[in-house]
Amino acid sequence: MAEGLSKDFLELLTYLLPGFMSAWVFYGLTSHPKPSQFERVAQALIFTFIIRTLVPLCKWALELAGNCIAIAPWSRAAEAGTALVLALAFGAFLAYCTNTDSIHERLREAGLTARTSHPSEWFYVLSKKITFVILHMTDGRRLYGWPKEWPIEADKGQFYIMLPAWIQEDGTQVDLPQLDGILVSVKDVKWVEFLQKAD
């Protein structure tokens, strides 16, 4: 009885593996935080459904190509390999669409949403406004520089500011040429100014 259950569980896991692989690739290539365990399983089921729907189309295309150049007959191993390749490609495609905001951009143009594909407005603005910034610190100091890295969320993480310079109260700038950059906790930042690109 236990052997039958473990065999069924192994078959179920093998069947669902493409969905979990797609989710793994997606979260590995985007800045989206991983959702709860339940949501991840639900996403994996949806991804598995999409990938398993595409496998017969790939089988048909490969068999059609096999009429010209025969490599090997279609088998369970070929089906599993095709599902795995589709899973990796599908996860990478979703990550690309999310990182470039391409699908949401078209949905915004069509008036279907006002949202972006990025994990937060904070991340969206920092990724789209490619310019020098001034970080206003909670202690009153101001730090000028280029944001090489920034936190995903407004309440945790760090900024990595390159070409840093402290801005004095009179507006003069104290450059720090000996530094490659400064790592600043987002908890020490009150707000962020984005300078015009010409600056």
Side-chain angles (χ1 to χ4, degrees):
M1 175 105 178
E3 273 184 36
L5 282 174
S6 63
K7 185 180 176 190
D8 291 343
F9 177 75
L10 189 60
E11 283 182 14
L12 178 65
L13 193 61
T14 304
Y15 185 81
L16 295 176
L17 186 61
F20 284 106
M21 286 293 294
S22 285
W24 176 73
V25 170
F26 174 78
Y27 287 108
L29 298 177
T30 65
S31 295
H32 280 268
K34 289 182 182 165
S36 69
Q37 194 72 24
F38 175 77
E39 287 178 281
R40 279 192 281 185
V41 170
Q43 283 178 343
L45 289 171
I46 293 167
F47 292 169
T48 297
F49 174 76
I50 293 168
I51 292 160
R52 291 293 175 184
T53 303
L54 294 173
V55 167
L57 293 173
C58 287
K59 177 184 177 184
W60 174 79
L62 290 170
E63 285 179 342
L64 194 63
N67 291 336
C68 299
I69 303 170
I71 298 172
W74 186 260
S75 63
R76 283 185 62 135
E79 183 178 334
T82 302
L84 185 62
V85 169
L86 283 173
L88 296 172
F90 183 67
F93 173 74
L94 285 179
Y96 171 79
C97 291
T98 299
N99 289 333
T100 59
D101 195 41
S102 54
I103 293 175
H104 278 77
E105 184 177 22
R106 280 157 189 78
L107 293 174
R108 285 194 303 274
E109 289 170 1
L112 295 173
T113 186
R115 307 285 300 175
T116 71
S117 63
H118 296 291
S120 67
E121 294 82 4
W122 169 271
F123 187 87
Y124 175 75
V125 170
L126 283 162
S127 65
K128 292 296 179 189
K129 295 285 184 184
I130 302 171
T131 180
F132 281 88
V133 298
I134 298 175
L135 301 182
H136 288 258
M137 314 300 276
T138 53
D139 62 5
R141 295 179 298 160
R142 294 182 298 163
L143 180 65
Y144 167 87
W146 183 264
K148 172 79 170 149
E149 301 289 337
W150 54 88
I152 296 171
E153 299 171 26
D155 58 348
K156 57 185 172 186
Q158 294 87 26
F159 284 95
Y160 182 65
I161 302 296
M162 295 183 72
L163 305 172
W166 291 108
I167 299 176
Q168 304 296 331
E169 287 185 27
D170 62 0
T172 58
Q173 192 170 298
V174 178
D175 291 327
L176 304 168
Q178 71 277 18
L179 299 181
D180 179 62
I182 296 178
L183 196 62
V184 179
S185 172
V186 72
K187 292 178 181 173
D188 296 329
V189 177
K190 208 174 357 178
W191 70 78
V192 181
E193 285 184 48
F194 296 89
L195 301 181
Q196 294 289 342
K197 293 197 189 235
D199 292 338

